[in-house]
Coordinates of all heavy atoms in Angstrom, one line a residue:
Chain B
T3 N 12.8 8.2 -39.0 CA 14.0 7.5 -38.7 C 13.6 6.5 -37.6 O 12.7 6.7 -36.8 CB 15.1 8.4 -38.1 OG1 14.4 9.3 -37.2 CG2 15.8 9.1 -39.2
I5 N 14.9 4.7 -34.4 CA 15.9 4.8 -33.4 C 16.0 3.4 -32.7 O 15.0 3.0 -32.1 CB 15.6 5.9 -32.3 CG1 15.4 7.2 -33.0 CG2 16.7 5.9 -31.2 CD1 14.8 8.3 -32.1
H7 N 16.9 0.4 -30.0 CA 16.9 0.4 -28.6 C 18.3 0.8 -28.2 O 19.3 0.4 -28.8 CB 16.7 -1.0 -28.1 CG 15.3 -1.4 -28.0 ND1 14.4 -0.8 -27.2 CD2 14.6 -2.3 -28.7 CE1 13.2 -1.4 -27.4 NE2 13.3 -2.3 -28.3
Y28 N 15.7 2.7 2.4 CA 14.8 3.8 2.7 C 13.9 3.4 3.9 O 13.7 4.2 4.9 CB 13.9 4.2 1.5 CG 13.0 5.4 1.9 CD1 13.5 6.7 1.9 CD2 11.6 5.1 2.1 CE1 12.6 7.7 2.2 CE2 10.8 6.2 2.4 CZ 11.3 7.5 2.5 OH 10.5 8.5 2.8
Q32 N 11.1 -1.4 11.4 CA 9.8 -1.8 11.8 C 8.9 -2.0 10.6 O 8.1 -3.0 10.6 CB 9.2 -0.8 12.8 CG 8.1 -1.3 13.6 CD 7.5 -0.3 14.5 OE1 8.2 0.7 14.8 NE2 6.3 -0.5 15.0
G55 N 0.3 -2.4 6.2 CA 0.3 -1.0 6.5 C 1.2 -0.2 5.6 O 2.3 0.2 5.9
R57 N 3.1 2.4 3.5 CA 3.6 3.7 3.9 C 3.6 4.7 2.7 O 3.7 4.3 1.6 CB 5.1 3.6 4.4 CG 5.3 2.6 5.5 CD 4.6 3.1 6.8 NE 5.1 2.3 7.9 CZ 4.3 1.5 8.6 NH1 3.0 1.4 8.3 NH2 4.7 0.9 9.7
E58 N 3.5 5.9 3.1 CA 3.7 6.9 2.0 C 5.2 6.9 1.6 O 6.1 7.0 2.5 CB 3.4 8.4 2.5 CG 2.0 8.7 2.3 CD 1.2 8.8 3.6 OE1 1.8 8.5 4.7 OE2 0.1 9.3 3.6
M59 N 5.4 6.8 0.4 CA 6.8 6.7 -0.1 C 7.1 8.1 -0.7 O 6.2 8.8 -1.0 CB 7.0 5.6 -1.2 CG 6.6 4.2 -0.6 SD 7.8 3.8 0.7 CE 9.3 3.4 -0.2
Y63 N 1.8 7.5 -5.1 CA 1.0 6.3 -5.2 C 0.6 6.1 -6.7 O 0.3 7.1 -7.4 CB -0.3 6.5 -4.4 CG -0.2 6.3 -2.9 CD1 -0.5 7.3 -2.1 CD2 0.3 5.1 -2.4 CE1 -0.5 7.2 -0.7 CE2 0.4 4.9 -1.0 CZ 0.0 6.0 -0.2 OH 0.1 5.8 1.2
G64 N 0.6 4.9 -7.1 CA 0.2 4.6 -8.5 C 1.4 4.6 -9.4 O 1.4 4.2 -10.6
W65 N 2.6 4.9 -8.8 CA 3.8 5.0 -9.6 C 4.8 3.9 -9.2 O 6.0 3.9 -9.4 CB 4.5 6.3 -9.5 CG 3.7 7.4 -10.1 CD1 2.4 7.7 -9.7 CD2 4.0 8.4 -11.1 NE1 1.9 8.8 -10.4 CE2 2.9 9.2 -11.3 CE3 5.2 8.6 -11.9 CZ2 2.9 10.2 -12.2 CZ3 5.2 9.6 -12.8 CH2 4.0 10.4 -13.0
Q88 N 6.9 -1.3 -18.9 CA 6.6 -1.6 -20.3 C 7.6 -2.5 -21.0 O 7.8 -2.5 -22.2 CB 6.4 -0.4 -21.2 CG 5.6 0.7 -20.5 CD 4.1 0.3 -20.3 OE1 3.4 0.0 -21.2 NE2 3.7 0.3 -19.0
T94 N 11.1 6.3 -18.3 CA 11.5 7.3 -17.2 C 11.2 6.7 -15.8 O 12.0 6.9 -14.9 CB 10.7 8.6 -17.4 OG1 10.5 8.8 -18.7 CG2 11.4 9.7 -16.7
R101 N 17.1 4.5 -9.8 CA 17.9 5.5 -9.2 C 17.6 5.5 -7.7 O 18.5 5.7 -6.9 CB 17.5 6.9 -9.7 CG 18.4 7.4 -10.9 CD 17.8 8.5 -11.7 NE 17.0 9.5 -10.9 CZ 17.3 10.8 -10.8 NH1 18.3 11.2 -11.3 NH2 16.5 11.6 -10.1
R124 N 6.7 -3.3 -14.1 CA 5.4 -2.7 -14.3 C 4.9 -3.2 -15.7 O 5.6 -2.9 -16.7 CB 5.5 -1.2 -14.2 CG 4.2 -0.5 -14.4 CD 4.2 1.0 -14.1 NE 3.0 1.6 -14.6 CZ 2.8 2.2 -15.7 NH1 3.9 2.4 -16.5 NH2 1.7 2.6 -16.1
R154 N -17.0 -3.0 -3.8 CA -16.8 -3.0 -2.3 C -15.9 -4.1 -1.8 O -16.1 -5.2 -2.0 CB -18.2 -3.3 -1.6 CG -19.0 -2.0 -1.4 CD -20.4 -2.4 -1.1 NE -21.2 -1.4 -1.7 CZ -21.3 -0.1 -1.2 NH1 -20.7 0.1 -0.1 NH2 -22.0 0.8 -1.8
E155 N -14.9 -3.6 -1.1 CA -13.9 -4.5 -0.4 C -14.6 -5.5 0.5 O -14.3 -6.7 0.5 CB -12.9 -3.6 0.3 CG -12.1 -4.3 1.4 CD -11.1 -5.3 0.9 OE1 -10.8 -5.2 -0.3 OE2 -10.6 -6.1 1.7
S156 N -15.6 -5.0 1.2 CA -16.3 -5.9 2.2 C -17.0 -7.1 1.5 O -17.0 -8.2 2.0 CB -17.3 -5.1 3.0 OG -18.0 -4.2 2.2
F181 N -19.5 -10.8 -27.9 CA -18.4 -10.5 -28.9 C -17.8 -11.8 -29.5 O -16.9 -11.7 -30.4 CB -17.3 -9.7 -28.3 CG -17.7 -8.5 -27.6 CD1 -17.7 -8.4 -26.3 CD2 -18.2 -7.4 -28.4 CE1 -18.1 -7.2 -25.6 CE2 -18.6 -6.3 -27.8 CZ -18.6 -6.1 -26.4
R183 N -15.8 -13.7 -28.1 CA -14.5 -13.9 -27.5 C -14.4 -13.1 -26.2 O -15.2 -12.2 -25.9 CB -13.4 -13.5 -28.4 CG -13.5 -12.1 -28.8 CD -12.4 -11.7 -29.8 NE -11.2 -11.4 -29.2 CZ -10.0 -11.5 -29.8 NH1 -9.9 -11.9 -31.0 NH2 -8.9 -11.2 -29.1
S187 N -7.8 -7.9 -22.5 CA -6.5 -8.1 -23.2 C -5.3 -8.0 -22.3 O -4.2 -8.4 -22.6 CB -6.4 -7.1 -24.4 OG -6.5 -5.8 -23.9
P204 N -1.5 -5.3 -14.6 CA -1.8 -5.1 -16.0 C -0.8 -5.6 -17.0 O -0.3 -4.8 -17.8 CB -2.0 -3.6 -16.1 CG -2.1 -3.1 -14.7 CD -1.3 -4.1 -13.9
R226 N -1.0 1.8 -2.8 CA -2.2 2.6 -2.6 C -3.3 1.7 -2.0 O -4.0 2.1 -1.1 CB -2.6 3.3 -3.9 CG -3.6 4.4 -3.8 CD -3.9 5.0 -5.1 NE -3.8 3.9 -6.2 CZ -4.8 3.1 -6.4 NH1 -5.9 3.1 -5.7 NH2 -4.7 2.1 -7.3
K228 N -2.8 -1.1 -0.5 CA -2.3 -1.7 0.7 C -2.4 -3.2 0.8 O -2.9 -3.8 1.7 CB -2.9 -1.1 2.0 CG -2.8 0.5 2.0 CD -3.6 1.1 3.1 CE -3.3 2.6 3.1 NZ -3.6 3.3 1.9
R229 N -2.0 -3.9 -0.3 CA -2.0 -5.3 -0.4 C -0.7 -5.9 -1.0 O -0.1 -5.3 -1.9 CB -3.2 -5.7 -1.4 CG -4.6 -5.4 -0.9 CD -5.0 -6.2 0.3 NE -6.4 -5.9 0.7 CZ -6.7 -4.9 1.5 NH1 -5.8 -4.1 2.0 NH2 -8.0 -4.7 1.8
W254 N 1.1 -11.8 -33.5 CA 1.3 -10.8 -34.6 C 1.8 -11.5 -35.9 O 2.5 -12.5 -35.8 CB 2.5 -9.8 -34.2 CG 2.0 -8.9 -33.1 CD1 1.6 -7.6 -33.3 CD2 2.0 -9.1 -31.7 NE1 1.3 -7.0 -32.1 CE2 1.6 -7.9 -31.1 CE3 2.3 -10.2 -30.9 CZ2 1.4 -7.8 -29.7 CZ3 2.2 -10.1 -29.5 CH2 1.8 -8.9 -28.9
L260 N 13.6 -4.9 -35.5 CA 15.1 -4.8 -35.1 C 15.8 -6.1 -35.0 O 16.9 -6.3 -35.5 CB 15.2 -4.0 -33.8 CG 14.6 -2.6 -33.8 CD1 14.8 -2.0 -32.4 CD2 15.2 -1.7 -34.8
Y267 N 6.6 -10.2 -27.3 CA 5.5 -9.2 -27.3 C 6.0 -8.0 -28.0 O 7.1 -7.4 -27.7 CB 5.1 -8.9 -25.9 CG 3.8 -8.1 -25.8 CD1 2.6 -8.7 -25.9 CD2 3.8 -6.7 -25.8 CE1 1.4 -8.0 -25.8 CE2 2.7 -6.0 -25.7 CZ 1.4 -6.6 -25.7 OH 0.3 -5.9 -25.7
L268 N 5.2 -7.5 -29.0 CA 5.7 -6.4 -29.8 C 4.9 -5.1 -29.5 O 3.7 -5.1 -29.2 CB 5.4 -6.8 -31.3 CG 6.2 -8.0 -31.8 CD1 5.8 -8.3 -33.3 CD2 7.7 -7.8 -31.7
D269 N 5.7 -4.0 -29.5 CA 5.1 -2.7 -29.5 C 4.9 -2.2 -30.9 O 5.7 -2.4 -31.7 CB 6.1 -1.7 -28.8 CG 6.1 -1.9 -27.3 OD1 5.1 -2.5 -26.7 OD2 7.1 -1.6 -26.7
E270 N 3.7 -1.5 -31.0 CA 3.5 -1.0 -32.4 C 4.0 0.4 -32.4 O 3.7 1.2 -31.5 CB 1.9 -1.0 -32.5 CG 1.4 -0.6 -33.9 CD -0.1 -0.9 -34.0 OE1 -0.5 -1.9 -33.5 OE2 -0.8 0.0 -34.5
V271 N 4.8 0.8 -33.4 CA 5.4 2.1 -33.5 C 4.9 2.8 -34.8 O 4.9 2.2 -35.8 CB 6.9 2.0 -33.5 CG1 7.5 3.4 -33.5 CG2 7.4 1.2 -32.3
Q276 N 1.5 9.2 -41.9 CA 0.4 8.5 -42.6 C 0.0 7.3 -41.8 O -0.9 6.5 -42.3 CB 1.0 7.9 -44.0 CG 1.7 9.0 -44.9 CD 0.7 10.0 -45.2 OE1 -0.4 9.7 -45.8 NE2 1.0 11.3 -45.0
K279 N 3.1 1.6 -39.8 CA 3.4 1.0 -38.5 C 4.7 0.1 -38.7 O 4.9 -0.4 -39.8 CB 2.3 0.1 -38.0 CG 1.0 0.9 -37.7 CD 0.0 0.0 -37.0 CE -0.7 -0.9 -38.0 NZ -1.9 -0.2 -38.6
Chain C
M1 N 12.4 7.2 -30.3 CA 11.2 7.6 -31.0 C 10.1 6.7 -30.6 O 8.9 7.1 -30.3 CB 11.4 7.6 -32.5 CG 10.1 7.8 -33.2 SD 10.5 7.5 -34.9 CE 9.0 7.9 -35.7
Y2 N 10.3 5.4 -30.5 CA 9.2 4.5 -30.1 C 9.1 4.2 -28.6 O 8.1 3.6 -28.2 CB 9.2 3.2 -31.0 CG 10.5 2.4 -30.8 CD1 10.7 1.6 -29.7 CD2 11.5 2.5 -31.8 CE1 11.8 0.9 -29.5 CE2 12.6 1.8 -31.6 CZ 12.8 1.0 -30.5 OH 13.9 0.3 -30.4
V5 N 7.7 7.4 -23.4 CA 8.3 8.3 -22.4 C 9.7 7.7 -22.1 O 9.9 6.8 -21.4 CB 7.5 8.3 -21.1 CG1 8.1 9.2 -20.1 CG2 6.1 8.8 -21.5
G7 N 13.6 8.4 -21.1 CA 14.3 9.4 -20.3 C 15.7 9.1 -20.0 O 16.6 9.5 -20.7
D9 N 18.6 9.2 -16.8 CA 19.0 10.1 -15.8 C 19.0 11.6 -16.3 O 18.5 12.4 -15.6 CB 20.4 9.8 -15.3 CG 20.4 8.6 -14.4 OD1 19.5 8.5 -13.5 OD2 21.2 7.7 -14.5
F76 N 1.6 16.0 0.2 CA 2.3 14.8 -0.2 C 3.8 14.8 0.4 O 4.2 13.9 1.0 CB 2.3 14.6 -1.7 CG 3.1 13.4 -2.2 CD1 3.4 12.3 -1.4 CD2 3.4 13.3 -3.6 CE1 4.1 11.2 -1.9 CE2 4.1 12.2 -4.1 CZ 4.4 11.2 -3.2
R79 N 3.6 14.3 4.1 CA 3.3 12.9 4.5 C 4.5 12.0 4.3 O 4.8 11.2 5.1 CB 2.2 12.4 3.6 CG 0.9 13.0 3.8 CD 0.0 12.1 4.7 NE -1.4 12.5 4.6 CZ -2.3 11.9 3.9 NH1 -2.0 10.9 3.2 NH2 -3.5 12.4 3.8
T83 N 6.3 9.8 7.4 CA 6.5 8.3 7.5 C 7.9 7.9 8.0 O 8.1 6.8 8.4 CB 6.2 7.6 6.2 OG1 7.0 8.1 5.1 CG2 4.8 7.5 5.8
T84 N 8.8 8.8 7.8 CA 10.2 8.5 8.2 C 10.4 8.7 9.7 O 11.5 8.4 10.2 CB 11.3 9.2 7.4 OG1 11.2 10.6 7.7 CG2 11.0 9.1 5.9
T182 N -2.3 5.1 9.8 CA -1.1 5.2 9.0 C -0.2 3.9 9.2 O 0.8 3.8 8.6 CB -0.2 6.4 9.6 OG1 0.1 6.2 10.9 CG2 -1.0 7.7 9.5
R183 N -0.7 3.0 10.0 CA 0.1 1.8 10.2 C -0.6 0.5 9.8 O 0.0 -0.5 9.7 CB 0.6 1.7 11.6 CG 1.8 2.7 11.9 CD 2.0 3.0 13.3 NE 1.9 1.8 14.2 CZ 2.9 1.0 14.4 NH1 4.0 1.1 13.8 NH2 2.7 0.0 15.2
S185 N -3.9 -1.3 7.4 CA -4.8 -1.1 6.3 C -6.2 -1.1 6.8 O -6.5 -1.9 7.7 CB -4.5 -2.1 5.2 OG -5.5 -2.9 5.0
R201 N -7.6 13.4 7.7 CA -6.6 13.4 6.6 C -7.1 13.7 5.2 O -6.4 13.9 4.3 CB -5.8 12.1 6.6 CG -4.9 11.9 7.8 CD -4.5 10.4 8.0 NE -3.9 9.7 6.9 CZ -2.6 9.6 6.7 NH1 -1.8 10.2 7.6 NH2 -2.1 9.0 5.7
D312 N -21.9 6.3 2.5 CA -21.3 5.0 2.1 C -19.9 5.0 2.6 O -19.0 5.6 2.0 CB -21.4 4.9 0.6 CG -20.9 3.6 0.0 OD1 -20.0 3.0 0.6 OD2 -21.5 3.1 -1.0
E314 N -17.3 2.8 2.6 CA -16.2 2.4 1.7 C -16.0 3.5 0.6 O -14.8 3.8 0.3 CB -16.5 1.1 1.0 CG -16.0 -0.1 1.9 CD -15.7 -1.3 1.0 OE1 -14.8 -1.2 0.1 OE2 -16.3 -2.3 1.2
E324 N -3.3 9.7 -2.2 CA -3.6 8.5 -3.0 C -4.3 8.8 -4.3 O -3.9 8.3 -5.4 CB -4.5 7.5 -2.2 CG -3.9 6.9 -1.0 CD -4.8 6.1 -0.1 OE1 -6.0 5.9 -0.5 OE2 -4.4 5.7 0.9
G327 N -2.0 10.6 -6.8 CA -1.0 9.7 -7.4 C -1.6 8.8 -8.5 O -1.1 8.7 -9.6
F328 N -2.8 8.3 -8.2 CA -3.4 7.3 -9.1 C -3.9 8.0 -10.3 O -3.8 7.4 -11.4 CB -4.4 6.4 -8.4 CG -4.7 5.2 -9.1 CD1 -3.6 4.3 -9.5 CD2 -6.0 4.8 -9.4 CE1 -3.8 3.2 -10.2 CE2 -6.2 3.6 -10.1 CZ -5.1 2.8 -10.5
Q330 N -2.8 10.7 -11.6 CA -1.7 11.2 -12.4 C -0.8 10.0 -12.9 O 0.0 10.3 -13.8 CB -0.8 12.2 -11.6 CG -1.6 13.4 -11.2 CD -0.8 14.6 -11.0 OE1 -0.1 15.1 -11.8 NE2 -0.8 15.1 -9.7
H331 N -1.0 8.8 -12.4 CA -0.2 7.7 -12.9 C -0.6 7.4 -14.4 O 0.2 6.8 -15.1 CB -0.3 6.5 -12.1 CG -1.1 5.4 -12.6 ND1 -2.4 5.4 -12.7 CD2 -0.7 4.2 -13.1 CE1 -2.9 4.3 -13.2 NE2 -1.9 3.5 -13.5
P335 N 3.7 5.6 -19.1 CA 3.4 4.8 -20.4 C 2.5 3.6 -20.1 O 2.7 2.9 -19.1 CB 4.8 4.4 -20.9 CG 5.7 4.4 -19.7 CD 5.2 5.5 -18.8
H336 N 1.6 3.4 -20.9 CA 0.7 2.3 -20.9 C 0.7 1.6 -22.2 O -0.3 1.0 -22.6 CB -0.7 2.7 -20.5 CG -0.9 3.0 -19.1 ND1 -0.5 4.2 -18.5 CD2 -1.5 2.3 -18.1 CE1 -0.8 4.2 -17.2 NE2 -1.4 3.0 -16.9
Y337 N 1.8 1.7 -23.0 CA 1.6 1.3 -24.4 C 1.6 -0.2 -24.5 O 1.1 -0.7 -25.5 CB 2.7 1.9 -25.3 CG 4.1 1.9 -24.9 CD1 4.9 0.8 -24.9 CD2 4.7 3.1 -24.4 CE1 6.2 0.8 -24.5 CE2 6.0 3.1 -24.0 CZ 6.8 1.9 -24.0 OH 8.1 2.0 -23.7
V338 N 2.1 -1.0 -23.5 CA 1.9 -2.4 -23.6 C 0.5 -2.8 -23.6 O 0.0 -3.6 -24.4 CB 2.8 -3.1 -22.5 CG1 2.3 -4.5 -22.3 CG2 4.2 -3.0 -22.8
D339 N -0.2 -2.3 -22.6 CA -1.7 -2.6 -22.5 C -2.4 -2.0 -23.6 O -3.4 -2.6 -24.1 CB -2.2 -2.0 -21.2 CG -1.6 -2.7 -20.0 OD1 -1.0 -3.7 -20.1 OD2 -1.8 -2.1 -18.9
Q341 N -1.4 -1.6 -26.6 CA -1.1 -2.5 -27.7 C -2.0 -3.7 -27.7 O -2.6 -4.2 -28.6 CB 0.4 -2.9 -27.7 CG 0.7 -4.0 -28.8 CD 0.5 -3.5 -30.2 OE1 0.3 -4.3 -31.1 NE2 0.7 -2.2 -30.4
A342 N -2.2 -4.3 -26.4 CA -3.1 -5.4 -26.3 C -4.5 -5.1 -26.6 O -5.2 -5.8 -27.3 CB -3.0 -5.9 -24.8
E343 N -4.9 -3.8 -26.3 CA -6.2 -3.4 -26.6 C -6.4 -3.2 -28.1 O -7.4 -3.5 -28.7 CB -6.6 -2.1 -25.9 CG -6.7 -2.2 -24.4 CD -8.0 -2.9 -24.0 OE1 -8.2 -4.1 -24.3 OE2 -8.9 -2.2 -23.5
T346 N -7.0 -6.4 -29.7 CA -8.4 -6.9 -29.4 C -9.4 -6.1 -30.2 O -10.3 -6.7 -30.8 CB -8.7 -6.7 -27.9 OG1 -7.8 -7.5 -27.1 CG2 -10.1 -7.2 -27.6
R348 N -9.0 -4.6 -33.0 CA -8.9 -5.0 -34.4 C -9.6 -6.3 -34.7 O -10.3 -6.5 -35.7 CB -7.4 -5.0 -34.9 CG -6.8 -3.7 -35.0 CD -5.4 -3.7 -35.7 NE -4.8 -2.4 -35.7 CZ -3.7 -2.1 -35.1 NH1 -3.0 -3.0 -34.5 NH2 -3.2 -0.9 -35.2
A349 N -9.4 -7.2 -33.7 CA -10.0 -8.5 -33.9 C -11.5 -8.4 -33.9 O -12.2 -9.1 -34.6 CB -9.5 -9.5 -32.8
K353 N -14.1 -9.2 -36.9 CA -15.2 -10.1 -36.7 C -16.5 -9.5 -37.1 O -17.4 -10.1 -37.6 CB -15.3 -10.5 -35.2 CG -16.1 -11.8 -35.0 CD -16.0 -12.2 -33.5 CE -17.0 -13.3 -33.2 NZ -16.8 -14.5 -33.9
D359 N -6.6 -2.4 -40.1 CA -5.2 -2.3 -40.5 C -4.9 -1.5 -41.7 O -5.6 -1.6 -42.7 CB -4.6 -3.7 -40.7 CG -3.3 -3.9 -40.1 OD1 -2.8 -2.9 -39.5 OD2 -2.7 -5.0 -40.2
P361 N -3.8 2.6 -43.0 CA -4.3 4.0 -42.8 C -5.6 4.2 -43.5 O -6.4 5.0 -43.0 CB -3.2 4.9 -43.3 CG -2.1 4.0 -43.8 CD -2.4 2.6 -43.6

Side-chain angles (χ1 to χ4, degrees):
Chain B
T3 41
I5 301 167
H7 280 295
Y28 184 78
Q32 195 182 343
R57 303 292 192 247
E58 271 111 352
M59 299 298 287
Y63 283 123
W65 298 55
Q88 314 295 300
T94 326
R101 267 164 35 118
R124 177 170 171 264
R154 272 164 217 286
E155 160 71 14
S156 41
F181 307 110
R183 56 184 278 156
S187 57
R226 191 178 38 76
K228 304 172 177 58
R229 295 289 183 274
W254 288 262
L260 300 179
Y267 190 84
L268 298 177
D269 285 337
E270 185 170 319
V271 183
Q276 306 301 305
K279 297 191 279 276
Chain C
M1 172 186 184
Y2 57 79
V5 180
D9 282 318
F76 180 17
R79 289 260 197 103
T83 50
T84 66
T182 65
R183 284 159 43 83
S185 119
R201 286 158 60 92
D312 184 329
E314 271 208 58
E324 291 175 6
F328 199 50
Q330 297 204 64
H331 107 286
H336 283 76
Y337 48 76
V338 164
D339 294 344
Q341 175 62 211
E343 291 286 71
T346 300
R348 285 190 184 119
K353 199 172 168 67
D359 222 359

